[in-house]
Amino acid sequence: RFLFACAPSSENGRTKLSFREHKLYGRETEVSSITDAFCRVSTGKNEAFFIAGFSGSGKSMLVNSLRAQVDISGGYVLTHKFDQMSKEKPLLEVISAFNDLCPIIRDRSSQEDLHVIVKNLMDVFGTDFSVLARLLPKIKCLFPQPNPAKGEKESGDQMNLRSICFTLQRFMRSVSSKSHPVMLFLDDLQWCDNSALSLVE
């Protein structure tokens, strides 16, 4: 009923199908569910939404159908696709996705909004900013000056999972809000491990 919205034309006894590229057909229920989830998140809640299906069944296109609404609402979209090689460093790949959020915020924020975000970060991290900068090197692109925090503490200690999670929690609370929600799309989760899932949680 979707492909034959118009009268089908025949050529040599064969019917030509007319459809639009990059359009989802027959997925109204799923689109409605994922849109409702984003609306709930936009009120300040946190939510996980799992999409299962065979390869090529349109899972990624389903998620991408929400991009326009996220952009209009002032939100940010982060995406990462795991693969077999991800087994070597799944945690680093998730951290990299959050690192890529920094230039997205810079490019989509007004100077006034950027000033507020920078102030929030400095209030939250203070002299511990170097810890965040080691974890997310691109964070410095949000600051007008090369050295955002004078007198910050340098630490060569290895960060454990708990420390990484705590640091990213503080970061996300500083840069995200009801007016700027964040949607993180992780594809092919079967290739990541418990540490990566714990970080997302």
Side-chain angles (χ1 to χ4, degrees), residues 14 156 197:
R14 297 180 179 178
L197 293 177

Side-chain angles (χ1 to χ4, degrees), residues 3 11 23 28 34 40 55-56 63 70 82 86 111 132 143 146 166 171 178 181 183 190 192-193 198:
L3 299 180
E11 183 178 335
K23 175 178 173 59
E28 288 79 6
I34 196 172
R40 290 191 295 271
S55 178
V63 174
V70 176
F82 293 101
S86 299
Q111 287 298 320
L132 178 64
F143 293 81
F166 180 61
F171 168 70
K178 292 180 181 180
M183 183 179 83
Q190 70 271 17
C192 73
D193 64 0
S198 296

Side-chain angles (χ1 to χ4, degrees), residues 14-81:
R14 297 180 179 178
T15 300
K16 286 185 177 181
L17 298 181
S18 178
F19 59 92
R20 286 184 291 174
E21 190 177 2
H22 306 307
K23 175 178 173 59
L24 284 171
Y25 290 92
R27 288 294 189 93
E28 288 79 6
T29 301
E30 291 84 354
V31 170
S32 178
S33 295
I34 196 172
T35 300
D36 289 345
F38 176 72
C39 289
R40 290 191 295 271
V41 169
S42 297
T43 64
K45 297 181 179 179
N46 299 319
E47 191 164 330
F49 196 97
F50 294 90
I51 302 174
F54 294 105
S55 178
S57 61
K59 299 185 298 295
S60 297
M61 186 174 289
L62 177 61
V63 174
N64 288 332
S65 69
L66 192 62
R67 275 183 174 270
Q69 183 172 341
V70 176
D71 289 340
I72 292 173
S73 68
Y76 311 116
V77 179
L78 302 179
T79 61
H80 181 74
K81 183 178 178 65

Side-chain angles (χ1 to χ4, degrees), residues 97-143:
F98 286 102
N99 192 35
D100 291 337
L101 175 60
C102 300
I104 294 176
I105 293 173
R106 178 198 60 194
D107 296 339
R108 297 194 53 199
S109 299
S110 65
Q111 287 298 320
E112 182 179 353
D113 288 341
L114 202 57
H115 177 76
V116 172
I117 292 173
V118 168
K119 184 179 184 305
N120 288 342
L121 287 169
M122 294 311 303
D123 288 344
V124 169
F125 287 94
T127 56
D128 289 332
F129 182 83
S130 61
V131 177
L132 178 64
R134 281 199 299 132
L135 193 63
L136 306 178
K138 293 182 181 179
I139 189 66
K140 293 185 178 181
C141 77
L142 301 178
F143 293 81

